[in-house]
Amino acid sequence: MTVISKWTDMTKGWCRKSGAAICLATFALSLGGCTSSLDMFGSTDKVDRSISTGTIPVKQQSDTSISDEATVRNAVTSADLNKMGDTPLPWANTATGSAGVVSVIREDNDQGHTCRAFRTTRHSYEGIAVFAGQACMTGSGDWMLTAFDKQG
């Protein structure tokens, strides 16, 4: 019977050290995927240059106010002025939640086409406002809003 002796301290220590090194390398490489998009050293130009900035543009008319204007125009132009007299004309826009009351409608035929000047309130999420407007009939018989100006 032959006995072979080995020195196991060196092999066990080497396995422990190499196992720790492998774990550390695996951990470091897995973090590389998480940080590769940070570009910490500025090596690439990742800024989207197609977007330009500048001054703030003039406030465009919102879809809400356009929808409300169309609702007011329809109320004013479909009103029977002979039956209405001095009675206020309520309107409501279910699409925007706005509502108001047209208090004055005056029809004018002076320039060869029919126009209706009016005054209305608008109650909306922005508050209550008074508007003066005008709708005129076009040559094709459609009504077009030619003025809708916020007062005061």
Side-chain angles (χ1 to χ4, degrees):
M1 171 166 167
T2 319
V3 177
I4 302 175
S5 65
K6 289 200 277 183
W7 186 17
T8 58
D9 289 342
M10 182 176 230
T11 57
K12 286 182 182 178
W14 181 81
C15 286
R16 285 185 194 140
K17 289 179 184 176
S18 64
I22 290 172
C23 286
L24 185 60
T26 303
F27 180 71
L29 288 173
S30 66
L31 285 179
C34 296
T35 60
S36 65
S37 64
L38 291 179
D39 192 24
M40 299 171 114
F41 303 107
S43 60
T44 59
D45 187 17
K46 294 183 179 180
V47 177
D48 185 1
R49 302 285 182 202
S50 65
I51 299 172
S52 63
T53 60
T55 60
I56 298 172
V58 176
K59 184 179 177 184
Q60 297 295 320
Q61 201 170 16
S62 70
D63 291 339
T64 301
S65 63
I66 292 171
S67 178
D68 288 345
E69 289 176 13
T71 302
V72 171
R73 179 201 65 216
N74 292 341
V76 168
T77 58
S78 64
D80 185 348
L81 299 183
N82 295 326
K83 290 183 182 178
M84 193 175 129
D86 292 335
T87 307
L89 176 65
W91 62 270
N93 186 347
T94 57
T96 64
S98 300
V101 177
V102 179
S103 56
V104 177
I105 302 175
R106 284 189 330 267
E107 189 168 283
D108 181 21
N109 293 316
D110 287 347
Q111 300 173 3
H113 54 277
T114 304
C115 289
R116 289 186 176 182
F118 61 90
R119 187 172 180 85
T120 186
T121 58
R122 182 176 80 180
H123 307 251
S124 71
Y125 66 90
E126 296 172 337
I128 300 173
V130 177
F131 290 84
Q134 180 176 331
C136 294
M137 190 177 289
T138 64
S140 63
D142 297 324
W143 287 92
M144 182 173 75
L145 198 62
T146 57
F148 195 75
D149 302 315
K150 190 173 183 178
Q151 304 296 296

